[in-house]
Amino acid sequence: MADGHRAAYLAFDRFPSAKGSAVHIRHMAAELFERYQGGLLCVLGGGDLPAYQREGGVEIVRFTEVVPNLLDRAEAFSAWAAEQLAPHRDTLELCHVRDPWSALPAMTTGATMVYEANGLPSIELPYAWPHAAPATLAKVRELERHCLARAAAVVVPSYVIKNAVTDRGVTPDRVHLVPNGADPAPADVPRPPDAPGRYLIYVGALQPWQGVDVLLRAFARLADLTDLDLVICSSVSPNRARPLRRLADRLGVAERVRWHYQLPHDDIAGWLAHAELSVAPLTACDRNVEQGCSPIKVWESMAAGTAVVASDLPVVREVLGEYGRLVPPDRPAELARAIRVLLEYPQVCRDLGENARKHVLAGFTWKHARARLADVYDLVVRH
Amino acid sequence: MTPCAVTTGFFTLGKCGTMAVAGCPSCGRALCADHVTEGGLCPECAAANNRFGHPAAVAAYRRRAYRHRSAGVYQDTVWYTGFDSYDRAAFDPGAAASQDYLDDGDDALVDS
Ligand SMILES: [Zn+2]
Ligand SMILES: [Zn+2]
């Protein structure tokens, strides 16, 4: 490599993976690397992922060290990433980061930094790590503040997280909204061969705040609809589904719930397009209410032309608006009722889905998201 | 024909599959003409041998690292607070909300 890279994208996240975050990284990094005819991508590896790849002008380096403690691992990633960036210090113009542990090494390069805040570890971490003390989370929050303050621009997927970011001291004029998007499903995407006749669908991960338990309880209330199945396309491994499968058993619906794990992203479109309804039962926990999230599953359902029933949370209302059906979160009976009513009016369902699809095509495809990101880059990069 | 065994792709990964012309002397995988690096290794082994790619880049890195250590220009980018062992303990593998969180190597700080 004769010349150093001019751009780098860093994420303390495995890439690629079956999760929504990977879809997001894919499109945002593509915009960055197209702009600079290449660049350096620093992400987490593991599994069969190669530690190093070169794809045209893009170099992909993956952190593969096994460090059991999450904080130790995050810091080891920072140190590793700083080493990866160091040879490019003289040429780097723009670093795009997704978290504080990516931001710290980026800040040592002197390049302009764009911080993409899809979530905030100080809000998110306690859900997976309940023993994290308030004092520890305050330090994480301070770290976020430190990194956000040094970003030339902060990119957020929703107004909800924009507020969380400005709460951490970022002036609103430096925060830019780049909503997630979805690419339109091909009109004739085939029905998956193992798809049941009529089914509801859930696509995504299975953490408690996703509310899949609420969906299972709602589904149990629809037992009289004997021709209706529930398909769960989990972005995480079968192990993570164990508690939910036990719940489905206890509710007596296990036979009508079909589980699929970590399907390739391209296969999801077919499952979504042929479902009666897509459900996003997010719970009203702090994580969803204060931090928000970027429900890529909602965007993708809309793009597939499938009507969406989702929890009425600010972050969902922002995406779905009048293009779907909002229900009170954490209320299985209300969710079941909304599903039942929509199933009784298939034309309403079809119209909702079709209008949602048009809405996405008109302004919220990944192409639109990339154009909005390009505008942010234009703003912060000196010519 | 032996197909090249180098993993390629950005979002959807697969094996290169082009006809191999050599094998990597370090890991043994089959390599097509495009994937043989200058030293004859596969791209991954070459990168592992020489993290910074070009020897000139390594030298430049060392010089810069020295310059910056002495000049102290990192000052304003250093985050001073730091985490102590008490902070860290909450993030040991056994402290996760669910052991199920750990078994697919899911490291993300922010999930979606
Ligand atoms: Zn090799
Ligand atoms: Zn090859």
Side-chain angles (χ1 to χ4, degrees):
Chain A
M1 175 190 49
D3 301 313
H5 289 299
R6 294 166 61 211
Y9 189 109
L10 296 93
F12 186 71
D13 206 327
R14 187 188 284 200
F15 180 84
S17 79
K19 297 198 312 169
S21 56
V23 176
H24 197 259
I25 294 172
R26 168 197 199 177
H27 293 288
M28 300 292 103
E31 184 60 33
L32 180 67
F33 295 150
E34 196 175 294
R35 186 182 191 94
Y36 288 97
Q37 287 110 48
L40 183 66
L41 177 68
C42 301
V43 288
L44 300 183
D48 293 332
L49 296 172
Y52 177 87
Q53 271 181 268
R54 171 148 214 141
E55 301 294 330
V58 177
E59 277 188 290
I60 305 168
V61 286
R62 295 190 178 89
F63 179 73
T64 54
E65 212 181 307
V66 178
V67 184
N69 181 285
L70 180 76
L71 270 190
D72 291 345
R73 185 159 66 246
E75 289 178 352
F77 172 80
S78 281
W80 168 87
E83 276 181 26
Q84 307 305 310
L85 294 174
H88 308 285
R89 264 192 70 115
D90 292 342
T91 50
L92 269 180
E93 294 168 32
L94 187 56
C95 286
H96 184 131
V97 304
R98 278 175 65 95
D99 50 75
W101 286 279
S102 300
L104 286 171
M107 278 152 44
T108 67
T109 66
T112 300
M113 180 166 79
V114 171
Y115 191 125
E116 179 194 320
N118 295 287
L120 293 160
S122 61
I123 296 176
E124 187 101 30
L125 284 172
Y127 288 90
W129 305 94
H131 302 299
T136 305
L137 296 171
K139 287 184 189 175
V140 175
R141 191 181 160 108
E142 180 47 39
L143 174 60
E144 285 162 358
R145 193 183 255 286
H146 176 86
C147 296
L148 287 165
R150 282 155 185 81
V154 179
V155 170
V156 294
S158 76
Y159 284 108
V160 177
I161 192 156
K162 179 171 183 168
N163 293 336
V165 165
T166 50
D167 267 359
R168 281 159 179 75
V170 182
T171 50
D173 60 307
R174 279 196 296 126
V175 189
H176 304 272
L177 185 67
V178 177
N180 280 331
D183 286 327
D188 51 354
V189 59
R191 173 179 270 272
D194 45 344
R198 274 175 103 215
Y199 61 95
L200 309 173
I201 192 163
Y202 171 82
V203 173
L206 304 178
Q207 304 92 332
W209 48 259
Q210 301 275 11
V212 180
D213 59 323
V214 179
L215 172 56
L216 288 172
R217 288 178 208 283
F219 187 60
R221 290 168 175 266
L222 301 170
D224 56 307
L225 305 176
T226 49
D227 65 335
L228 186 70
D229 283 0
L230 170 62
V231 171
I232 298 184
C233 295
S234 162
S235 61
V236 296
S237 70
N239 291 318
R240 299 265 196 99
R242 277 183 304 215
L244 289 166
R245 295 194 72 141
R246 281 196 294 270
L247 176 63
D249 255 336
R250 282 205 303 280
L251 293 168
V253 295
E255 273 176 24
R256 294 163 54 217
V257 182
R258 320 273 187 111
W259 298 83
H260 296 276
Y261 300 99
Q262 296 171 305
L263 290 178
H265 186 251
D266 287 349
D267 292 0
I268 299 287
W271 282 100
L272 279 172
H274 294 280
E276 303 296 315
L277 289 171
S278 173
V279 188
L282 294 158
T283 68
C285 63
D286 285 357
R287 188 243 176 221
N288 294 337
V289 174
E290 282 171 30
Q291 166 194 282
C293 49
S294 60
I296 286 183
K297 57 174 145 283
V298 174
W299 287 114
E300 291 187 342
S301 304
M302 292 168 78
T306 299
V308 179
V309 182
S311 298
D312 190 1
L313 299 172
V315 72
V316 176
R317 213 177 305 145
E318 205 179 313
V319 176
L320 197 56
E322 75 232 55
Y323 300 100
R325 190 66 85 232
L326 296 170
V327 296
D330 308 297
R331 307 271 283 277
E334 303 257 11
L335 178 58
R337 191 171 316 125
I339 292 171
R340 186 184 295 277
V341 169
L342 277 173
L343 290 175
E344 277 170 16
Y345 295 92
Q347 188 56 45
V348 173
C349 251
R350 269 195 294 275
D351 290 349
L352 269 180
E354 185 49 27
N355 289 338
R357 199 179 68 85
K358 285 184 186 147
H359 172 68
V360 169
L361 291 191
F364 298 95
T365 64
W366 282 113
K367 205 174 142 197
H368 291 98
R370 282 181 56 165
R372 289 185 184 104
L373 179 64
D375 289 344
V376 176
Y377 288 160
D378 284 340
L379 216 59
V380 299
V381 174
R382 290 170 294 274
H383 293 281
Chain B
M1 170 192 123
T2 309
C4 170
V6 171
T7 300
T8 61
F10 188 68
F11 183 67
T12 308
L13 302 187
K15 297 292 175 207
C16 166
T18 309
M19 188 179 70
V21 297
C24 172
S26 177
C27 69
R29 80 181 89 182
L31 300 172
C32 71
D34 280 350
H35 280 128
V36 185
T37 62
E38 255 172 64
L41 296 166
C42 74
E44 220 176 329
C45 290
N49 272 8
N50 182 2
R51 272 189 315 198
F52 301 120
H54 202 276
V58 182
Y61 168 53
R62 295 226 174 87
R63 272 199 309 278
R64 267 190 308 263
Y66 175 74
R67 202 164 58 223
H68 287 292
R69 260 202 313 278
S70 44
V73 290
Y74 287 176
Q75 290 262 326
D76 68 3
T77 63
V78 173
W79 180 62
Y80 288 103
T81 310
F83 297 104
D84 57 30
S85 56
Y86 175 72
D87 295 322
R88 285 169 207 279
F91 298 96
D92 279 335
S98 152
Q99 287 307 300
D100 299 335
Y101 257 98
L102 303 167
D103 48 32
D104 49 358
D106 195 349
D107 287 291
L109 294 162
V110 171
D111 246 324
S112 52

